[in-house]
Amino acid sequence: LAKTTQPISMDSYEGQEVNITCSHNNIATNDYITWYQQFPSQGPRFIIQGYKTKVTNEVASLFIPADRKSSTLSLPRVSLSDTAVYYCLVGDHSGSARQLTFGSGTQLTVLP
Amino acid sequence: SQTIHQWPATLVQPVGSPLSLECTVEGTSNPNLYWYRQAAGRGLQLLFYSVGIGQISSEVPQNLSASRPQDRQFILSSKKLLLSDSGFYLCAWRNRGDLYWDGYTFGSGTRLTVV
């Protein structure tokens, strides 16, 4: 499983766009990139997943450059309720177990 | 729709006592099941995963064990709890039949405090 590196913490203000970048230099051909959000005392929640270029859903956008060695989660117009830990994970669809390895994540704090 | 149930939500146990945490999944069959632990202020650590009934893989040697007596039931146990077993325990599942690598679904977690 590819190792990921992301900032430990970030601060932002309400209404701003937040971009969290994750490095995954040893990403493999079959690997997908997935982001999760976790609030205190809750399980992580799936946000978005992508393989290359750009993916957008109702919550966020995921930008992946051509070399796929990094990815950026973009949260538009954050609110106080977006304060959470955000995890970047990289994994492939080979094998039956497909266990996830979580890093330390990025603590995003949205300020009023 | 698929749902995952995990209980209890909180638990305070004395050192040396046994532990049993249960996780069940509804609305799917033959899922992959996982147990994670999260220490305070830390990331998630994979403890066990299972690809089928009776099939358990351990990621980290520890004071804990896991069992899967039924297709959609996953149990985390300990015979004698240690202080270091305190943490937030999360169960997760995913479909094995997916052709691409999609997201996992996590339960609401159990906060275990060993005193």
Side-chain angles (χ1 to χ4, degrees):
Chain A
L1 297 174
K3 181 180 177 179
T4 60
T5 303
Q6 52 185 124
I8 295 176
S9 63
M10 294 181 67
D11 290 343
S12 181
Y13 291 95
E14 281 191 291
Q16 290 187 333
E17 178 185 72
V18 171
N19 296 310
I20 306 175
T21 298
C22 178
S23 298
H24 27 80
N25 292 319
N26 59 338
I27 189 170
T29 301
N30 294 335
D31 285 347
Y32 281 76
I33 301 157
T34 309
W35 286 80
Y36 285 82
Q37 175 192 57
Q38 186 183 25
F39 298 112
S41 297
Q42 294 186 26
R45 181 176 71 100
F46 172 88
I47 300 177
I48 196 167
Q49 183 184 64
Y51 183 79
K52 62 180 179 180
T53 63
K54 176 184 176 181
V55 180
T56 298
N57 61 22
E58 66 277 6
V59 177
S61 294
L62 179 59
F63 299 92
I64 305 169
D67 66 6
R68 303 201 326 123
K69 294 184 181 300
S70 67
S71 59
T72 299
L73 174 72
S74 180
L75 304 173
R77 299 179 298 281
V78 294
S79 63
L80 296 177
S81 62
D82 292 318
T83 294
V85 177
Y86 292 83
Y87 295 97
C88 164
L89 294 98
V90 174
D92 63 48
H93 54 69
S94 62
S96 62
R98 307 185 207 178
Q99 62 271 35
L100 288 177
T101 300
F102 283 79
S104 298
T106 297
Q107 171 66 58
L108 171 65
T109 302
V110 180
L111 305 170
Chain B
S1 63
Q2 301 95 343
T3 57
I4 180 169
H5 302 280
Q6 191 178 341
W7 67 92
T10 60
L11 192 60
V12 180
Q13 292 285 96
V15 170
S17 65
L19 172 74
S20 180
L21 303 181
E22 187 166 342
C23 171
T24 60
V25 181
E26 297 179 355
T28 187
S29 60
N30 201 25
N32 279 6
L33 296 173
Y34 309 82
W35 277 111
Y36 284 85
R37 177 172 62 195
Q38 187 172 35
R42 305 290 296 275
L44 282 77
Q45 178 187 37
L46 178 62
L47 301 176
F48 301 95
Y49 64 91
S50 171
V51 300
I53 296 174
Q55 301 179 60
I56 307 295
S57 296
S58 175
E59 287 292 294
V60 181
Q62 60 224 313
N63 185 42
L64 303 168
S65 62
S67 62
R68 185 170 177 175
Q70 300 180 42
D71 180 46
R72 290 169 289 177
Q73 183 185 31
F74 205 22
I75 298 172
L76 183 69
S77 305
S78 175
K79 293 182 179 179
K80 290 185 178 181
L81 284 170
L82 305 172
L83 288 175
S84 58
D85 291 324
S86 294
F88 189 48
Y89 289 82
L90 287 156
C91 179
W93 77 275
R94 76 175 305 281
N95 279 323
R96 292 180 59 199
D98 293 326
L99 297 178
Y100 62 96
W101 194 73
D102 65 349
Y104 285 44
T105 300
F106 284 84
S108 54
T110 296
R111 176 76 58 192
L112 172 66
T113 303
V114 182
V115 296

